[in-house]
Amino acid sequence: MMNPVWSSLAVAICAVGMLAAFLALRRLPTPHGVQVTESKHIPADVINCVIFHVYRSSASNTTNRRTGSRMPAAA
């Protein structure tokens, strides 16, 4: 927070983006109503582990189409 103007500007841009997304989704016509009947809790550590491994596997399987060489995995 050494430069509060930039961080405040970033928060304001994110808030405007969220508001625009909410308003756009609210304006969409829905032919059917949705009711959530059941939900399950997923621990945050499981989500973080899965996202990390999915990212690593997708980065290591990426090939450069022009040269045909594999890109190095993210460190």
Side-chain angles (χ1 to χ4, degrees):
M1 301 297 289
M2 293 178 66
N3 193 348
V5 173
W6 287 108
S7 58
S8 299
L9 183 62
V11 169
I13 290 172
C14 290
V16 168
M18 278 183 49
L19 181 64
F22 286 141
L23 292 175
L25 288 174
R26 214 172 253 268
R27 291 184 56 120
L28 288 175
T30 55
H32 305 288
V34 176
Q35 182 179 3
V36 178
T37 58
E38 182 182 351
S39 66
K40 295 182 180 180
H41 173 73
I42 300 175
D45 55 342
V46 173
I47 294 172
N48 292 336
C49 182
V50 168
I51 290 174
F52 173 74
H53 288 292
V54 167
Y55 171 75
R56 290 276 295 188
S57 67
S58 67
S60 65
N61 291 333
T62 304
T63 58
N64 187 334
R65 291 183 183 173
R66 190 167 39 121
T67 63
S69 64
R70 287 197 174 273
M71 296 175 62

